[in-house]
Amino acid sequence: MSRPTVVTDIRDTALSVDEALAAVSHPRAGAVALFVGTVREHDEGREGVTQLDYSAHPDALEQLTAIARSVAEGDQVHGVYAVHRVGSLTVGDLAVVCAVSAEHRAEAFDGGRRLIEELKATVPIWKRQAWAEGDHSWVGL
């Protein structure tokens, strides 16, 4: 069996679900688990988020790639894709796209959950939220 495809990036341009699906496509993959994180208009129990500004530590891509490679070692996994956005985003924009393809749904779901949970818990990416009232808050510092 060939080695799984692993695609990771941190970029300041729009993200694409189609790109993620194409990247993990494999003739033996019977399932793809996809996670799409979008900018929402509320957080911290409060309404009125108008914009997010994401920034990443210089080592963030290295850490993201290590997580993706670890997920790719999973049983029957054929592809792993994890791309996070940085820069200014508005409500509805895609902030992160993750995909895992595997022979069966259980392995795809397990790999996909592990990928996004470890990304959120350990990759040093922070967001500054702007609120309609004119103030801001930092998340992830």
Side-chain angles (χ1 to χ4, degrees):
M1 187 166 77
S2 62
R3 295 176 50 115
T5 299
V6 175
V7 175
T8 59
D9 199 9
I10 297 174
R11 64 176 70 145
D12 62 0
T13 57
L15 305 184
S16 167
V17 170
D18 289 338
E19 177 185 315
L21 292 172
V24 300
S25 177
H26 191 281
R28 293 190 58 85
V32 176
L34 178 67
F35 175 83
V36 179
T38 59
V39 177
R40 62 181 179 253
E41 54 81 42
H42 68 280
D43 197 25
E44 302 172 353
R46 190 178 161 189
E47 302 290 324
V49 171
T50 59
Q51 179 178 323
L52 296 181
D53 290 301
Y54 279 100
S55 47
H57 187 277
D59 295 335
L61 181 57
E62 180 181 332
Q63 292 180 24
L64 177 58
T65 301
I67 293 166
R69 286 183 178 149
S70 177
V71 169
E73 293 173 1
D75 189 38
Q76 300 179 17
V77 171
H78 295 291
V80 177
Y81 178 98
V83 178
H84 205 294
R85 182 94 184 263
V86 291
S88 295
L89 287 77
T90 58
V91 173
D93 285 345
L94 305 186
V96 61
V97 176
C98 295
V100 175
S101 66
E103 293 198 21
H104 303 284
R105 67 182 173 273
E107 292 83 5
F109 279 133
D110 290 346
R113 177 175 291 279
R114 181 174 160 220
L115 180 62
I116 189 60
E117 295 298 340
E118 288 187 24
L119 183 162
K120 296 298 283 181
T122 65
V123 177
I125 297 174
W126 312 284
K127 65 182 176 183
R128 180 182 185 267
Q129 300 183 127
W131 299 93
E133 294 84 13
D135 60 326
H136 71 273
S137 60
W138 282 94
V139 178
L141 289 179

